Amino acid sequence: MRIIFGALLFVFAIIFEALGFSLASLILYLVSLVITGGKVFCDAVRGILRRDFLDEKFLMSVASVGAMVVGEYSEGVAVMLFFLVGETFERIAVRRSRRSIKALMDFCPDEATLITDEGEERVDAEDVQVGSLIMIRPGERVPIDSVITEGEAEIDTSSLTGESVPVAVGVGDSICSGVVVIGGLVKAKTLKVAGDSSAQRILELVENASENKSKEESFITAFSRFYTPTVVIFALLLAIVPWVVGLMDIATSSYRALIFLVVSCPCALVISVPMAFFGGIGGAASKGILFKGGYAFSKLCSADTICFDKTGTLTTGEFSVSSFNTYGVSKEELFRLCAGCEYASNHPIAKSLRRFSEDAIIPESAYEIPGEGTVSTIEGVTVAVGNLKLMHRLGINTDSYPSSHVYVSKEGKIIGTIDITDEIKSTANDAVRRLRSVGVRRVAVLSGDKEQGVKRVASSVGVSEIYFGLTPEDKYDKLLQMKNESAGGVMFVGDGINDAPSLAASDVGIAMGGVGQDSAIEAADLVLMTDELDKIPVAVKIASKTITVAKENIVFAIGTKLLVMILSAFGLANMWLAVFADVGVAVIAILNSMRVLSYSRRTRK
Ligand code: ADP
Ligand code: MG
């Protein structure tokens, strides 16, 4: 509306001026100026009062008022009119990207595990009433502010406070939504209704977390900080020096200085570069690829090494039992204890084992050892479910039992061994092949599983470099070593608590959003909402398109502006050229940035 009215009045003013009605045209110019530029002037004044007045609004206001004062009315209004056009473009573009992120968020609402008389139930966090009892498994994010009523654990508050040292909590302690529970299973009473959903958090993160800025964006911020004061000083010199030394009158020199100011306005960059990233983030989001900020883009493009976790990452994480043995208990009892013991864990193996028994009960206490298994107290007896490492940790002799994937012990004695298998994701093979084609040279699998299982999966997805039997610390150490050996950076793809340290330490951490545990999602830079691995090469392509466009804009805008600035200093440019070099360049750069969004939406492979 403001653009239309402002532009109409502007056109009439020009016509009146041409016809010689100077007073009428002056009034029309002034009204048009107030309509188009009123808000910018106010913001500029407010900026001055806040003492940070060297932004683009200040530059534009000075240029516009200056042009009016030296009698170049049409140019004074044009500056504001086109600035408004540029701003409107920006707003439309940002709104489009926001919408695509929001749309994606709507299909993955926050959930909570409600404890009812019948057992447990997964519900939307928003439907949980104050005072309800909820359960939080290790590795899960607390969905609602609550107070612990049962259980002990540690909490990782790094998503809220940035402090990464875990804090021990127990009965009576309150836990805020957003923190991640590690170690133990806790039951808690909710104190509030669900507030900020993780969708909202990610959206905010994407929009304004200044520490998540990409290299290119930070360059622009740093650039304008020293740039704007420099051009203001230079413009002042340009207005004063030629006049003082008698080269020209003050009106001519001021006019040149004003042109110089208009051209120099950095808004083309300030707007278009973050917008390219926003377009990349928004477009990726519409494909189920969630970036937590622009900072991951350049590392994603340059990375030459990728490490995959196995279970839940290369494989679906949905296990079936291939064989089992029982020792002194019935089959039903084995799986009942097994499911009960695994109650606390969100590991894919635990989730699968829970499905094999209908009448499992909630254990009295439970804790999880990442990469090994779980230990629980059920009906007063200690039950452990996990791999060989866990059994050795508990001092249980396994020599006389067949080597298996999962051992079950009761009161320190093996009562069963279970062999399980899960399927390799259909997208894994293709993803590895396409990653190689976008510049990844080294592909490795880092797994906590046994050699045999890792070999089977790795060879079928075409990876020869494998590391097995790794504890979470081993994975982390291996990753650091590979980081040292890599020139361009290392991506790590994982799904579990055991992967969280590696996800955080890698150059680009990629987590599974579906099967992945909250702690992994929290630690990652990039989340694949659908768990499909072929989204990784797509993400790389989107990132490299984004970076290319951002660089194009930087070169194009700075180049054009420099040229017109030089011309204006020598009196070879008028205000119209200056307005083009500013607004025209901004609009072209913005349109260029908008290509990123449509490109990312189109890209399939
Ligand atoms: P990966 O690195 O392949 O994703 P993890 O590190 O998550 O595997 O787990 C390594 C091994 O630890 C698993 O193969 C399994 O034997 C054992 N394990 C971990 N958590 C559990 C659990 N909750 N129940 C049973 N076994 C577990
Ligand atoms: Mg895993």
Side-chain angles (χ1 to χ4, degrees):
M1 286 295 265
R2 285 197 300 163
I3 292 180
I4 294 171
F5 274 124
L8 272 180
L9 290 174
F10 182 56
V11 170
F12 279 122
I14 291 176
I15 295 172
F16 280 167
E17 193 176 18
L19 295 175
F21 302 120
S22 51
L23 183 66
S25 83
L26 176 60
I27 292 173
L28 285 179
Y29 277 134
L30 285 176
V31 176
S32 174
L33 184 67
V34 170
I35 292 177
T36 53
K39 208 171 156 292
V40 181
F41 291 135
C42 292
D43 287 347
V45 171
R46 221 169 290 146
I48 295 173
L49 296 181
R50 260 189 286 113
R51 290 174 178 281
D52 63 348
F53 48 88
L54 296 177
D55 63 356
E56 72 261 20
K57 285 185 174 150
F58 172 78
L59 284 183
M60 291 320 243
S61 302
V62 172
S64 167
V65 171
M68 297 304 276
V69 171
V70 299
E72 301 289 346
Y73 304 128
S74 59
E75 297 174 358
V77 178
V79 169
M80 280 302 164
L81 184 61
F82 288 111
F83 187 62
L84 189 64
V85 171
E87 275 201 322
T88 308
F89 255 89
E90 180 199 0
R91 216 166 310 143
I92 293 172
V94 167
R95 203 174 311 151
R96 268 179 54 179
S97 321
R98 269 183 84 114
R99 223 180 293 140
S100 63
I101 296 182
K102 276 239 175 70
L104 180 88
M105 291 325 222
D106 285 345
F107 81 48
C108 51
D110 271 3
E111 291 192 334
T113 309
L114 199 61
I115 302 179
T116 60
D117 294 338
E118 285 93 58
E120 57 166 295
E121 193 187 347
R122 286 294 273 179
V123 295
D124 269 8
E126 289 183 0
D127 298 338
V128 175
Q129 317 224 308
V130 176
S132 309
L133 210 53
I134 57 169
M135 180 172 67
I136 304 137
R137 297 197 158 93
E140 266 183 359
R141 199 199 336 252
V142 176
I144 303 165
D145 292 355
S146 317
V147 58
I148 297 180
T149 55
E150 221 178 290
E152 274 175 18
E154 294 191 329
I155 52 169
D156 175 356
T157 60
S158 56
S159 66
L160 299 181
T161 60
E163 180 62 60
S164 58
V165 180
V167 185
V169 289
V171 173
D173 287 331
S174 53
I175 41 181
C176 295
S177 71
V179 305
V180 173
V181 170
I182 25 190
L185 169 80
V186 298
K187 294 175 192 164
K189 205 159 87 179
T190 58
L191 295 173
K192 291 187 186 158
V193 288
D196 60 336
S197 64
S198 60
Q200 199 53 42
R201 250 202 323 275
I202 295 186
L203 200 60
E204 279 164 21
L205 211 67
V206 165
E207 274 177 10
N208 50 21
S210 55
E211 71 268 35
N212 288 339
K213 283 242 167 84
S214 64
K215 235 174 39 210
E216 288 73 14
E217 287 170 289
S218 324
F219 165 72
I220 295 302
T221 315
F223 177 75
S224 16
R225 196 168 305 138
F226 92 91
Y227 173 82
T228 317
T230 314
V231 293
V232 169
I233 292 169
F234 202 78
L236 276 177
L237 291 177
L238 213 55
I240 295 168
V241 175
W243 169 59
V244 170
V245 301
L247 268 175
M248 57 187 83
D249 59 50
I250 180 92
T252 314
S253 67
S254 316
Y255 180 67
R256 285 190 188 178
L258 289 172
I259 292 175
F260 182 83
L261 268 190
V262 172
V263 196
S264 64
C265 176
C267 52
L269 291 175
V270 173
I271 296 169
S272 76
V273 172
M275 230 185 75
F277 282 90
F278 209 80
I281 291 169
S286 71
K287 295 233 130 42
I289 306 165
L290 274 191
F291 280 97
K292 291 197 189 160
Y295 64 100
F297 278 49
S298 57
K299 275 290 177 196
L300 193 59
C301 301
S302 70
D304 54 12
T305 306
I306 187 163
C307 304
F308 288 99
D309 163 56
K310 188 192 67 115
T311 318
T313 302
L314 286 174
T315 66
T316 58
E318 276 169 30
F319 289 89
S320 53
V321 173
S322 49
S323 68
F324 66 92
N325 301 296
T326 59
Y327 303 97
V329 291
S330 68
K331 170 190 165 195
E332 285 72 26
E333 177 70 354
L334 175 70
F335 282 101
R336 186 181 76 94
L337 289 177
C338 208
C341 181
E342 291 282 32
Y343 202 80
S345 169
N346 255 337
H347 194 278
I349 294 182
K351 283 189 189 164
S352 304
L353 286 175
R354 280 207 293 276
R355 279 200 302 273
F356 301 140
S357 178
E358 295 282 300
D359 32 40
I361 54 162
I362 301 181
E364 289 102 67
S365 78
Y367 66 93
E368 175 173 24
I369 300 163
E372 296 185 14
T374 50
V375 183
S376 304
T377 311
I378 302 172
E379 296 158 344
V381 297
T382 307
V383 179
V385 179
N387 55 15
L388 203 60
K389 267 189 229 132
L390 181 69
M391 297 302 134
H392 289 165
R393 177 191 291 271
L394 300 174
I396 297 170
N397 191 334
T398 55
D399 292 347
S400 46
Y401 302 93
S403 157
S404 317
H405 206 142
V406 177
Y407 296 82
V408 186
S409 76
K410 180 180 165 187
E411 290 293 0
K413 276 214 201 59
I414 300 286
I415 55 167
T417 57
I418 306 175
D419 268 312
I420 50 179
T421 49
D422 63 339
E423 271 173 32
I424 298 166
K425 283 185 193 166
S426 59
T427 53
N429 205 308
D430 195 32
V432 169
R433 199 169 38 74
R434 272 171 30 216
L435 277 165
R436 289 213 164 95
S437 78
V438 296
V440 175
R441 281 202 301 276
R442 185 174 180 192
V443 184
V445 177
L446 308 186
S447 173
D449 198 1
K450 294 186 301 178
E451 177 171 7
Q452 224 180 354
V454 184
K455 262 201 178 132
R456 177 182 70 96
V457 172
S459 66
S460 98
V461 300
V463 178
S464 55
E465 185 173 355
I466 60 167
Y467 303 92
F468 43 84
L470 304 178
T471 64
E473 295 76 36
D474 293 340
K475 274 195 189 187
Y476 176 79
D477 291 340
K478 191 75 212 159
L479 181 94
L480 290 188
Q481 185 197 332
M482 294 178 81
K483 237 177 117 169
N484 269 337
E485 290 159 7
S486 152
V490 179
M491 306 182 225
F492 185 91
V493 195
D495 70 311
I497 320 186
N498 59 323
D499 302 318
S502 309
L503 284 169
S506 61
D507 293 302
V508 186
I510 304 174
M512 301 294 124
V515 297
Q517 290 172 259
D518 293 337
S519 45
I521 293 173
E522 207 68 59
D525 305 303
L526 171 53
V527 183
L528 305 179
M529 300 310 295
T530 55
D531 299 342
E532 296 164 61
L533 296 173
D534 55 355
K535 292 287 165 66
I536 303 173
V538 174
V540 173
K541 284 196 172 160
I542 290 176
S544 76
K545 181 77 182 175
T546 306
I547 302 255
T548 311
V549 166
K551 284 188 177 153
E552 277 167 13
N553 282 349
I554 291 177
V555 172
F556 169 63
I558 295 185
T560 317
K561 277 168 189 280
L562 264 182
L563 185 71
V564 180
M565 265 188 219
I566 294 169
L567 290 180
S568 75
F570 291 102
L572 296 172
N574 63 11
M575 194 60 102
W576 291 101
L577 186 60
V579 167
F580 168 76
D582 180 51
V583 180
V585 167
V587 169
I588 293 172
I590 287 172
L591 288 175
N592 193 27
S593 290
M594 285 172 94
R595 287 193 311 137
V596 174
L597 182 59
S598 52
Y599 172 87
S600 343
R601 284 206 173 128
R602 271 197 329 268
T603 310
R604 305 219 175 281
K605 294 273 166 180

